[in-house]
Amino acid sequence: MRCMPDWKSCEPLIDSINRNLELIWSNKFMTLAEYRRSVESGALARSKLHHDDRSFQKAHPDHPLAGDNRYARIKAADAIKEAAKQINRPLPADILAQIHKALFDCSAAVRNSLAQALFFVGGPESVPVLERLLNTDSESKMVTSSAKVTLARCKMRASLLGGTDPKVVMVVSPDLELISELLEISSKHSFRLFVPDPPFNELVTVRSAAHVIDRWYMGKEAWESYCGYLDNVAVGRSQHGPTAASQMALLPDSVLDDTPLVITDWRMDRSMSEFRSPNKPKESVFFVSGGSTDMVTLIVQKAVTGIKPIDFHEVVQEVNAKRLAQR
């Protein structure tokens, strides 16, 4: 699922978010705090984790955690998350305020989907809201995990990259698990993780220690723009002026951009035929199928610690050895 290139293309998705917010409100929405107060006062029955949904629905049809109501809100929250992935830029304040309100739903599944949605569309104003959620929700590890990585991205959007930044690693990916792992190693290895918004200009305007890109998510137009930048760098360094594509391949590696690039496409076989190859030295491009989080983090770790060149065969051996040791 690719990002939309501009705000105009996002309008149907924003309409979808508004419709699904209405479905959340109309299906017995109740905040976690209200739910706890109502249960403690005896006004609501406590919904147990492994209760029989059918029996509970029959006995308490108006309960916010009764199956019909809960599943309707979960479905709406999931739809909001999927729309948010494609928008991938902060939403206007009025829509964000509604998502912030829904974020405190008494269903953990709803909270989790909306916390993940805010990873893609949250803004600086989402920071205190997410901090409040982390202080409020002590019941769900999945919500806590999603809220932490989303909080980190919203803080990224609140700060600009500058020339005095430490080593920077750029990531264009919808994979929250991968970004969570990279955030975890960022403090240990003293680098700053940054997840740019479309059109991903920071990939070419900010000097980075490594780039991690899911091309299906980035989109072909943005990928072509990135490849065009790499071509221009090669031409500029070679001092030859405009160079034909056939000649470009003959340029020495010393004139190419050698920033380590990890391509994390799903459907790698298909992506190899649908996306053109980047004009970079072969030893600085690593093709890692989507989901191989440990392999990506190891390559990034080597890149930020100055290991050059990075031997991909050694990376595979190290990861396989670690996986076997964990069995």
Side-chain angles (χ1 to χ4, degrees):
M1 183 176 291
R2 70 181 181 89
C3 302
M4 293 294 102
D6 51 48
W7 271 115
K8 184 69 177 176
S9 60
C10 292
E11 289 178 0
L13 296 167
I14 293 173
D15 289 342
S16 171
I17 287 176
N18 284 323
R19 289 195 304 273
N20 281 289
L21 282 167
E22 287 302 321
L23 288 172
I24 289 177
W25 310 141
S26 63
N27 282 278
K28 304 297 180 182
F29 168 77
M30 180 178 283
T31 67
L32 183 58
E34 291 171 323
Y35 172 75
R36 286 169 175 167
R37 287 195 297 267
S38 296
V39 168
E40 288 170 4
S41 69
L44 271 183
R46 185 181 296 276
S47 174
K48 297 180 181 179
L49 185 61
H50 299 295
H51 65 245
D52 181 337
D53 264 347
R54 290 184 179 180
S55 298
F56 193 81
Q57 171 73 40
K58 186 175 181 180
H60 310 281
D62 293 328
H63 197 287
L65 295 181
D68 289 354
N69 300 321
R70 185 173 86 256
Y71 291 135
R73 298 200 312 280
I74 291 172
K75 183 178 179 180
D78 286 345
I80 291 171
K81 178 179 69 176
E82 293 308 310
K85 280 185 182 179
Q86 295 178 73
I87 294 171
N88 197 27
R89 48 177 70 74
L91 285 171
D94 58 335
I95 305 175
L96 266 186
Q98 295 300 301
I99 297 177
H100 291 163
K101 176 183 174 183
L103 180 63
F104 292 88
D105 192 287
C106 57
S107 164
V110 172
R111 296 196 300 278
N112 189 55
S113 287
L114 294 180
Q116 292 184 5
L118 286 171
F119 174 86
F120 301 101
V121 297
E125 60 267 56
S126 303
V127 169
V129 179
L130 288 159
E131 290 174 337
R132 182 158 59 92
L133 179 65
L134 286 168
N135 289 328
T136 301
D137 192 341
S138 58
E139 301 173 1
S140 172
K141 290 183 178 179
M142 68 177 182
V143 174
T144 298
S145 176
S146 296
K148 283 181 176 177
V149 69
T150 296
L151 175 61
R153 189 180 192 191
C154 290
K155 286 181 176 179
M156 293 176 198
R157 284 173 164 150
S159 59
L160 298 175
L161 290 172
T164 59
D165 282 315
K167 297 185 289 284
V168 175
V169 173
M170 295 279 179
V171 183
V172 177
S173 171
D175 188 340
L176 270 72
E177 181 182 351
L178 170 62
I179 293 168
S180 177
E181 292 292 329
L182 290 172
L183 282 168
E184 189 171 322
I185 68 168
S186 65
S187 57
K188 180 179 178 181
H189 295 288
S190 301
F191 69 86
R192 179 175 178 184
L193 190 70
F194 194 80
V195 184
D197 294 327
F200 315 111
N201 290 330
E202 291 88 348
L203 287 170
V204 302
T205 60
V206 177
R207 186 169 180 80
S208 305
H211 292 162
V212 179
I213 296 175
D214 177 336
R215 294 183 294 186
W216 292 111
Y217 183 64
M218 185 181 197
K220 290 184 179 180
E221 184 178 341
W223 175 252
E224 282 296 322
S225 178
Y226 177 72
C227 287
Y229 160 78
L230 295 174
D231 290 344
N232 289 333
V233 168
V235 171
R237 289 185 181 177
S238 67
Q239 298 180 339
H240 291 315
T243 307
S246 58
Q247 294 173 305
M248 188 78 73
L250 302 177
L251 290 174
D253 284 355
S254 61
V255 303
L256 303 180
D257 181 309
D258 63 352
T259 304
L261 167 63
V262 187
I263 294 174
T264 63
D265 298 346
W266 295 86
R267 299 170 292 169
M268 186 64 79
D269 289 344
R270 180 181 165 192
S271 74
M272 294 294 282
S273 64
E274 295 204 18
F275 294 94
R276 75 174 172 110
S277 296
N279 195 17
K280 296 172 71 69
K282 289 183 179 180
E283 66 270 15
S284 67
V285 181
F286 308 92
F287 294 93
V288 180
S289 294
S292 300
T293 301
D294 49 359
M295 198 167 292
V296 177
T297 54
L298 182 56
I299 294 170
V300 168
Q301 180 179 320
K302 289 177 180 290
V304 298
T305 53
I307 295 175
K308 215 176 210 184
I310 299 170
D311 188 322
F312 189 57
H313 180 66
E314 287 183 3
V315 169
V316 173
Q317 286 185 320
E318 286 184 50
V319 168
N320 285 339
K322 188 173 181 179
R323 289 176 182 175
L324 284 170
Q326 292 174 342
R327 286 184 178 179

